[in-house]
């Protein structure tokens, strides 16, 4: 059995990243509605089947994050999703948080799901999951230290439980890009958030060499007319990461957060190009995108069996572009 560090390192192996296909039943149902597909359990299954059976996916994808519903489902050929992913050279992971709820006396949310998590993790591990994901969602404007602390604390308790169970935690504190705030706000809030997250991980005894960090890039609010370009995104993102992330963390896999595939890949390429000559950026820098990989496939498919090939080609193209954007990460400074 590979250890936590080996699995974490394999998830961020050169040229490969993580496919986030773990939308909750509610979110996935909305996305299916959006393309005119009935939001049934079997249509959610069929869509994830399409994603996982994309020919050649393992060239670019190291791991796939599944929802609990999908973990209990099978491909059309009868093989369970986790076993089918492993057989394709793709590590199966599982989203274990239970979503967000309002945090009292703030305008913020905190992520739920710690109760009973130890027992659930044992079940997920038995079902084949080798890594997990927990997402904290932080709206940057008006965010209070209390909200940052509550979310960082929950992430750390989740991560400790995962490592105790022999499962690699993906630690995802997402500072949302929705809104018209300037890039400075994203930078300040992400810096504070990551600092709090790593303080809490340390306090909970989490081994940083056995996690993957899944942060947002430092970007302008999506409704801000003044959008920072890729060079600025890269400079600010690496500055925040080098301020806050221990060098022993093997890899950082960014979420896409609502960016298009083109935007997210341009930013990831600029981050990697800059990191290649930056001593303060020793980690592998890759992707754990959801929408930036799958949106084109979902729209191309739209529930029509004859469109599966086209949809799979769209997913493959998006994954290949994301993989190419990590190219200079294959030789990070200091290795
Ligand atoms: P997006 O890349 O669509 O933001 O999704 C990543 C993810 O896993 C969110 O939790």
């Amino acid at each position: 059995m590979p250890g936590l560090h080996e699995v974490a390192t394999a998830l961020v192996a050169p040229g490969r990243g993580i496919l986030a296909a773990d939308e909750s039943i509610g979110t996935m149902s909305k996305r299916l509605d959006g393309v005119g597909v009935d939001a049934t359990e079997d249509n959610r299954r069929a869509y994830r089947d399409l994603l996982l059976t994309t020919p050649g996916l393992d060239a670019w994808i190291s791991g796939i994050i599944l929802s609990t519903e999908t973990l209990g489902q099978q491909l059309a050929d009868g093989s369970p999703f986790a076993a089918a992913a492993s057989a394709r050279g793709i590590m199966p992971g599982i989203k274990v948080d239970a979503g967000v709820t309002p945090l009292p006396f703030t305008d913020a949310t905190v992520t739920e799901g710690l109760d009973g998590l130890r027992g659930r993790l044992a079940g997920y591990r038995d079902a084949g999951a080798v890594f997990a994901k927990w997402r904290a969602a932080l709206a940057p404007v008006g965010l209070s230290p209390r909200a940052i602390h509550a979310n960082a604390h929950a992430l750390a308790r989740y991560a400790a439980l995962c490592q105790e169970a022999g499962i690699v935690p993906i630690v995802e504190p997402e500072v949302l890009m929705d809104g018209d705030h300037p890039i400075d706000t994203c930078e300040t809030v992400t810096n504070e958030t990551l600092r709090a997250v790593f303080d809490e991980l340390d306090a909970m005894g989490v081994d940083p060499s056995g996690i993957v960090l899944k942060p947002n890039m430092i970007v302008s609010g999506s409704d801000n007319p003044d959008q920072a370009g890729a060079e600025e995104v890269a400079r600010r993102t690496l500055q925040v990461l080098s301020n806050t992330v221990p060098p022993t963390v093997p890899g950082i896999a960014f979420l896409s957060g609502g960016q298009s595939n083109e935007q997210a890949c341009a930013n990831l390429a600029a981050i990697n190009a800059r990191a290649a000559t930056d001593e303060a950026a020793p980690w592998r820098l890759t992707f754990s995108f959801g929408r930036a990989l799958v949106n084109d496939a979902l729209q191309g498919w739209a529930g029509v069996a004859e469109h599966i090939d086209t949809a799979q080609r769209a997913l493959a193209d998006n994954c290949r572009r994301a993989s190419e954007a990590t190219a200079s990460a294959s030789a990070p400074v200091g290795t």
Side-chain angles (χ1 to χ4, degrees):
M1 274 272 285
L4 295 170
H5 179 65
E6 285 70 32
V7 171
T9 304
L11 283 169
V12 295
R16 297 174 90 203
I18 300 164
L19 172 58
D22 59 315
E23 300 88 347
S24 64
I25 290 177
T27 301
M28 192 65 244
S29 298
K30 268 190 234 141
R31 301 231 169 116
L32 289 175
D33 279 342
V35 295
V37 176
D38 285 346
T40 61
E41 184 177 338
D42 195 54
N43 282 336
R44 292 190 294 272
R45 190 211 62 74
Y47 166 65
R48 267 67 177 254
D49 186 323
L50 174 165
L51 297 179
L52 182 59
T53 59
T54 294
L57 195 64
D58 63 307
W60 318 289
I61 298 298
S62 56
I64 182 168
I65 316 175
L66 305 171
S67 66
T68 45
E69 180 182 59
T70 314
L71 191 69
Q73 291 177 323
Q74 291 86 36
L75 295 184
D77 70 8
S79 52
F81 269 84
S86 299
R88 285 167 168 74
I90 296 174
M91 288 179 273
I94 177 75
K95 169 199 172 80
V96 303
D97 68 67
V100 301
T101 192
L103 183 68
F105 315 124
T106 71
D107 294 329
T109 62
V110 66
T111 301
E112 295 188 304
L114 289 170
D115 287 358
L117 183 56
R118 179 179 275 123
R120 286 195 288 129
L121 284 169
Y124 299 145
R125 194 189 46 216
D126 292 348
V130 297
F131 71 99
K133 169 188 133 173
W134 177 290
R135 170 177 177 263
L138 302 147
V141 176
L143 190 62
S144 63
R146 185 186 299 156
I148 293 177
H149 177 254
N151 278 288
H153 183 78
L155 271 167
R157 286 195 51 202
Y158 140 81
L161 283 163
C162 286
Q163 289 195 338
E164 179 192 75
I167 289 178
V168 169
I170 293 193
V171 174
E172 182 179 1
E174 175 175 4
V175 175
L176 302 168
M177 61 185 274
D178 311 321
D180 61 2
H181 53 277
I183 191 168
D184 283 346
T185 306
C186 178
E187 180 169 359
T188 307
V189 171
T190 306
N191 201 77
E192 281 172 32
T193 299
L194 290 180
R195 203 180 286 289
V197 166
F198 281 99
D199 283 351
E200 291 289 329
L201 290 172
D202 186 53
M204 286 293 153
V206 173
D207 174 3
S209 76
I211 72 164
V212 172
L213 177 67
K214 175 165 173 166
N216 51 286
M217 299 173 187
I218 306 300
V219 292
S220 313
S222 50
D223 298 330
N224 189 313
D226 185 14
Q227 287 292 311
E231 294 307 319
E232 186 177 359
V233 168
R235 178 176 57 75
R236 291 185 188 247
T237 300
L238 288 173
Q239 182 63 55
V240 168
L241 295 176
S242 59
N243 290 345
T244 55
V245 184
T248 47
V249 170
I252 296 173
F254 294 98
L255 57 92
S256 63
Q259 300 179 75
S260 65
N261 179 269
E262 194 185 348
Q263 247 183 329
C265 291
N267 287 338
L268 183 59
I271 289 168
N272 272 296
R274 201 175 174 95
T277 57
D278 185 348
E279 295 279 346
W283 334 270
R284 292 213 187 276
L285 295 156
T286 186
F287 58 93
S288 175
F289 298 160
R291 287 162 287 176
L293 296 179
V294 302
N295 272 359
D296 296 327
L298 178 61
Q299 277 158 22
W301 171 58
V304 181
E306 292 73 32
H307 293 174
I308 288 177
D309 286 354
T310 315
Q312 290 184 327
R313 271 197 298 277
L315 175 65
D317 285 347
N318 285 346
C319 292
R320 185 179 34 72
R321 275 192 287 270
S323 165
E324 286 167 2
T326 69
S328 47
S330 57
V333 175
T335 60

